[in-house]
Amino acid sequence: MAMNLFDLTGKVAIVTGSSKGIGRAMAEAMAEHGAKVVITSRKADICDEVAAGINASGGEAIAVPCNVSRQDERDNLLATTRETWGRIDILILNAAVNPWHGSALDIPDSAFDKTMEVNIKCNMAFCRAVIPEMQERKDGAIMIVSSVGGLRGSTVLGAYCISKAADMQIVRNLAVEFGKDNIRVNCIAPGLVKTNFARVLYEDPETAARKSAATPMRRLGEGEDLAGIAVYLASKAGAWTTGQTFCIDGGVTIAGND
Ligand code: NAP
């Protein structure tokens, strides 16, 4: 029988911010490929609903609420996963914040600090907490959901883009340090995806049309468009892929001005 390169049977995956949007699409796809998934975000009731949907369609999921900016809640998320399934093979750090839209001259220190704390420091904290068990097993896949914004300058999303560029460097550092332990660490950088998070960037129909026209594939993204890369990076298919940033963006970052 041919080996399925994308099979995740027996693997345990945590996806932060998986009650909605991109994280939810990734978690559901990994469950469809056989992984046991932990659905987690700040709101317990939505996590319960998403986990119940996965279980009802033959997958395996639990819901564990966690605000990623709180250490006690991060500890509880990891401990509950280990108590339930004994291991963490796949960690997708997808939850992020963007509390400020506007000039770099006006951003309050508190908004700048919050962006760096959640989008950089909490991701590092999660990585530090799971890498030792991955080292012991000589196997693990970590992904950070960054953004194409981390590759470009912005007049209105500056601090957010700084934090997303830092995520790309985190994966390079960790990939170099822990490659010898067969731990793969990569970034996924979406273009504009139609989720609640990005609503302000596409809700005006004229803006949405302009952004679609600037995208080679002539449409904005859906959460499901990001699911395949997560399955690839989590599975045997991605066994020799590490330290990279994958732009999943309908081609927007490679389009010229002609
Ligand atoms: P979304 O649909 O609004 O979903 C965000 C998810 O994160 C929800 O499950 C939310 O649930 C959870 N969340 C928010 N703050 C959290 C916190 N402090 N702790 C734990 N969970 C939290 O957003 P999305 O567009 O899928 O965004 C996911 C990732 O994609 C983010 O890293 C974002 O920067 C990145 N991204 C998005 C786009 C885009 O165009 N949409 C483009 C590039 C990159 P609760 O409210 O229940 O906590």
Side-chain angles (χ1 to χ4, degrees):
M1 201 170 79
M3 185 179 59
N4 183 346
L5 278 174
F6 299 94
D7 184 21
L8 295 175
T9 305
K11 302 287 185 190
V12 174
I14 294 176
V15 185
T16 67
S18 45
S19 64
K20 280 188 260 173
I22 293 169
R24 177 178 177 168
M26 288 176 167
E28 289 176 342
M30 289 201 297
E32 279 165 24
H33 284 75
K36 299 177 170 115
V37 294
V38 182
I39 302 300
T40 176
S41 80
R42 291 166 301 181
K43 298 185 193 95
D45 51 342
I46 318 184
C47 292
D48 285 340
E49 269 173 43
V50 174
I54 291 172
N55 288 319
S57 47
E60 269 188 275
I62 57 169
V64 185
C66 166
N67 180 337
V68 295
S69 65
R70 301 203 180 129
Q71 186 177 343
D72 57 332
E73 296 186 21
R74 291 197 301 269
D75 291 346
N76 178 60
L77 170 63
L78 301 177
T80 307
T81 306
R82 288 172 176 139
E83 276 159 28
T84 310
W85 286 322
R87 55 196 291 151
I88 298 158
D89 301 286
I90 301 157
L91 175 67
I92 304 189
L93 300 168
N94 165 72
V97 296
N98 177 31
W100 178 254
H101 190 93
S103 167
L105 299 183
D106 302 329
I107 183 168
D109 280 350
S110 58
F112 189 89
D113 290 349
K114 179 90 191 153
T115 309
M116 301 307 147
E117 195 205 326
V118 176
N119 298 1
I120 304 175
K121 211 171 148 194
C122 295
N123 286 347
M124 278 300 296
F126 264 118
C127 291
R128 280 200 301 270
V130 300
I131 284 173
E133 69 158 280
M134 293 178 170
Q135 282 184 293
E136 270 177 37
R137 281 196 304 274
K138 293 274 179 276
D139 187 32
I142 298 175
M143 291 157 231
I144 302 181
V145 178
S146 173
S147 168
V148 296
L151 294 167
R152 297 171 142 188
S154 169
T155 56
V156 287
L157 296 173
Y160 173 79
C161 294
I162 293 170
S163 73
K164 293 296 187 176
D167 286 331
M168 297 173 188
Q169 185 60 27
I170 290 176
V171 307
R172 286 189 284 263
N173 289 349
L174 298 181
V176 168
E177 186 170 355
F178 301 106
K180 65 179 181 348
D181 299 313
N182 192 32
I183 300 172
R184 290 89 62 202
V185 194
N186 291 282
C187 262
I188 297 167
L192 184 51
V193 181
K194 288 194 270 172
T195 66
N196 206 37
F197 185 84
R199 191 165 295 283
V200 63
L201 301 174
Y202 69 83
E203 65 188 347
D204 167 43
E206 249 174 61
T207 315
R210 187 166 44 78
K211 289 187 185 283
S212 293
T215 305
M217 295 195 74
R218 298 291 190 275
R219 67 172 176 88
L220 304 183
E222 305 288 342
E224 294 70 32
D225 290 319
L226 278 299
I229 187 72
V231 173
Y232 163 77
L233 288 170
S235 64
K236 190 165 172 47
W240 205 45
T241 304
T242 199
Q244 306 302 313
T245 293
F246 294 86
C247 293
I248 308 295
D249 65 353
V252 81
T253 46
I254 51 80
N257 291 323
D258 50 2

